[in-house]
Every structure is written in structure tokens, then in C-alpha cells.
């Protein structure tokens, strides 16, 4: 297994503010396999816990290494599945990854699904609260595609909403998509929640999102997911200077 990293850019300044860590499987004889082809099997077999722990540890280790190299402003986002939360150790898996890597909690962002928050029986809220208290950022992945009362946005003090690519890809042609994206952005702005749009592939879409008030974005317009070394090479080619702001 290997982690690839896709940059997230501030849509106003064009600066890279973070990366999303995405797992890939280098399967012998088949090449690089995307997670959609094996995560389901990992969840069904119970292997998702050790796999998820490895992803957390590797993402935090890499982010800490980048900080040491001077890129102190980069946050790393890691996806957590609802199945991972069935293991009570998930809370400590996250803290262990931070302690082992010595990465500041403020540099880690955890992406959650709406279905996970809907199924909350109190245990999820307790775990998320402990992460928030430590300074870890919480994001809702693929926002707008699940079922939710939205009450969790207030109850859990969510930091970021990720607007699903299904609303972004046809933003210029589909009026309904524009209405949906505008509504999400207005709500997030009112609640003081940051936003990131996924799947940006055309400059005009990035420009429109910025005009609508979207804070940041990611997609093939900027870069595809890249192995760590290739990501750093891409970053240097863009002539970005090391981010030295907080955290």
C-alpha cells in the first residue's frame, strides 16, 4: 500500500493549504489499484482497522516530515469510514499516530461521512469531542449526498464541509447544481464553517466557486493525487514558497 496526496488550494490566493491523503494498492501484476476496488473487501473482512491505522500513521509521519523541511502550513486530511468507528480503539489510533509522528494536532484533519453522524449513539460524539478538544480539525466528506438533519453541524462544531464533485463538475451548465452549491456556501458562511470543493477540472469552475465564496478546492485542474516525492516536486515546480503560518 502507498499513500498518494492531492493538494488543496485556497481559491482566493492560489496557495496550497493542505493535502488529502488517498490510499493506493500497488497490486503485483495489476498496477496501482484505487480504493474503490478494495476498501469494501477490507471492511467486510475486518482488515479495515489495521489498514486504517497504517494510513493514519503514514499520513501523520509524512506531514511531520514536510514540517521539518519547512512546509509548516500544510495540513493533511485523512478519511475515516463508518466501519472504523465500530472499533472502540479508533479514538486512540488517532492520538497514537499523532504522538508517534510528533505532528501537532492542528495539522491533522479527519474527514467523516454523514452516515456516520446519523448513526451516532453517543459514542461517536464523545470520540469527536475528544479530537476537537485536542485541536484536530473535523470535515464532512461528500457533503450534500447523504441524509442528515444537519443538527450535527452545530452539535459537533464541524470545521469544514467538502462539497461533493457531483455538484461541482457541471456547475457551469447545470442551474440546479449552482443553486445547491450556492445554498451550501451560504449556510456554511453563516455558521462560520470553511468549505472545499472537490473535483475541480476547469479554470472557469474554480473561478465561479471563488466568486460564490468557496474557500478552497482540489481537483485535476491543479494536480491529480501524487506519491509523496512527486507531490513535493510538483509543489516546487509551482514555485510555491514554504508555508510558515499557523499552525
Amino acid at each position: 500500500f502507498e499513500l498518494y496526496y492531492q493538494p488543496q488550494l485556497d481559491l482566493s490566493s492560489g496557495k496550497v493549504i493542505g493535502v488529502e491523503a488517498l490510499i493506493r494498492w500497488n497490486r503485483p501484476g495489476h498496477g496501482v489499484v484505487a480504493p474503490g476496488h478494495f476498501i469494501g473487501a477490507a471492511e467486510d473482512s475486518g482488515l479495515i482497522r489495521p489498514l486504517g491505522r497504517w494510513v493514519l500513521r503514514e499520513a501523520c509521519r509524512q506531514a511531520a516530515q514536510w514540517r521539518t523541511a519547512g512546509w509548516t502550513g500544510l495540513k493533511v486530511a485523512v478519511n475515516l469510514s463508518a466501519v472504523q468507528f465500530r472499533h472502540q480503539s479508533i479514538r486512540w489510533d488517532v492520538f497514537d499516530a499523532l504522538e508517534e509522528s510528533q505532528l501537532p494536532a492542528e495539522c491533522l484533519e479527519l474527514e467523516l461521512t454523514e452516515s456516520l453522524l446519523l448513526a451516532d449513539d453517543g459514542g461517536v460524539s464523545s470520540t469527536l469531542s475528544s479530537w476537537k478538544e485536542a485541536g484536530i480539525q473535523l470535515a464532512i466528506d461528500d457533503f450534500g449526498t447523504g441524509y442528515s438533519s444537519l443538527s450535527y453541524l452545530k452539535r459537533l462544531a464541524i470545521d469544514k464541509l467538502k462539497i461533493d464533485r457531483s455538484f461541482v463538475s457541471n456547475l457551469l451548465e447545470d442551474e440546479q447544481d449552482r443553486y445547491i452549491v450556492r445554498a451550501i456556501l451560504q449556510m456554511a458562511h453563516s455558521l462560520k464553517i470553511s468549505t472545499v470543493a472537490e473535483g475541480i477540472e476547469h479554470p472557469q469552475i474554480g473561478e465561479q466557486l471563488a466568486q460564490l465564496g468557496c474557500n478552497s478546492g482540489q481537483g485535476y485542474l491543479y494536480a491529480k493525487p501524487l506519491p509523496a516525492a512527486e507531490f513535493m516536486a510538483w509543489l516546487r515546480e509551482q514555485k510555491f514558497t514554504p508555508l510558515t503560518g499557523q499552525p
Side-chain angles (χ1 to χ4, degrees):
F1 292 107
E2 182 179 5
L3 290 188
Y4 279 43
Y5 300 89
Q6 186 170 39
Q8 298 176 337
L9 282 73
D10 180 282
L11 293 181
S12 298
S13 65
K15 292 183 178 179
V16 178
I17 57 175
V19 295
E20 180 179 4
L22 300 162
I23 190 170
R24 297 291 186 268
W25 176 21
N26 289 315
R27 185 181 179 187
H30 293 79
V32 178
V33 181
H37 295 288
F38 62 85
I39 289 297
E43 292 178 335
D44 293 340
S45 65
L47 292 175
I48 190 64
R49 187 203 169 195
L51 183 59
R53 289 180 65 188
W54 177 82
V55 170
L56 280 165
R57 291 166 59 190
E58 178 62 17
C60 289
R61 183 201 65 78
Q62 183 62 73
Q65 182 176 323
W66 285 332
R67 281 181 60 82
T68 301
W71 300 86
T72 58
L74 285 178
K75 290 185 179 182
V76 61
V78 177
N79 291 276
L80 297 181
S81 77
V83 176
Q84 285 179 270
F85 269 82
R86 295 176 185 170
H87 300 279
Q88 296 181 352
S89 63
I90 183 65
R91 178 186 308 202
W92 309 113
D93 289 344
V94 170
F95 286 131
D96 288 347
L98 289 173
E99 182 177 4
E100 180 181 303
S101 64
Q102 293 299 296
L103 180 72
E106 294 80 6
C107 293
L108 176 62
E109 179 179 294
L110 299 175
E111 297 187 0
L112 316 165
T113 63
E114 290 181 291
S115 61
L116 167 66
L117 303 178
L118 266 180
D120 182 18
D121 58 0
V124 172
S125 296
S126 175
T127 297
L128 298 185
S129 295
S130 70
W131 290 339
K132 284 287 295 181
E133 290 172 5
I136 298 169
Q137 303 287 293
L138 301 179
I140 305 301
D141 195 20
D142 301 331
F143 184 78
T145 61
Y147 299 92
S148 175
S149 66
L150 301 182
S151 63
Y152 64 78
L153 294 178
K154 176 181 178 181
R155 185 178 76 253
L156 300 175
I158 297 299
D159 299 289
K160 181 181 292 185
L161 300 181
K162 297 195 71 177
I163 303 173
D164 188 69
R165 66 181 64 247
S166 63
F167 303 125
V168 173
S169 58
N170 295 317
L171 190 64
L172 299 178
E173 298 84 12
D174 194 312
E175 188 175 39
Q176 288 185 326
D177 282 346
R178 286 198 298 275
Y179 288 148
I180 291 172
V181 170
R182 184 181 292 112
I184 293 173
L185 293 172
Q186 290 175 343
M187 178 187 66
H189 179 73
S190 298
L191 295 173
K192 295 181 172 55
I193 298 175
S194 180
T195 52
V196 55
E198 301 177 284
I200 302 176
E201 297 186 1
H202 302 287
Q204 296 90 338
I205 291 180
E207 293 169 4
Q208 174 127 47
L209 286 164
Q211 292 172 2
L212 291 172
C214 187
N215 301 109
S216 55
Q218 66 185 88
Y220 277 38
L221 172 63
Y222 312 113
K224 64 180 181 180
L226 299 166
E230 292 183 29
F231 168 72
M232 288 307 296
W234 173 87
L235 200 57
R236 294 188 180 97
E237 287 175 2
Q238 309 309 306
K239 298 182 179 179
F240 291 120
T241 55
L243 301 175
T244 56
Q246 296 297 323

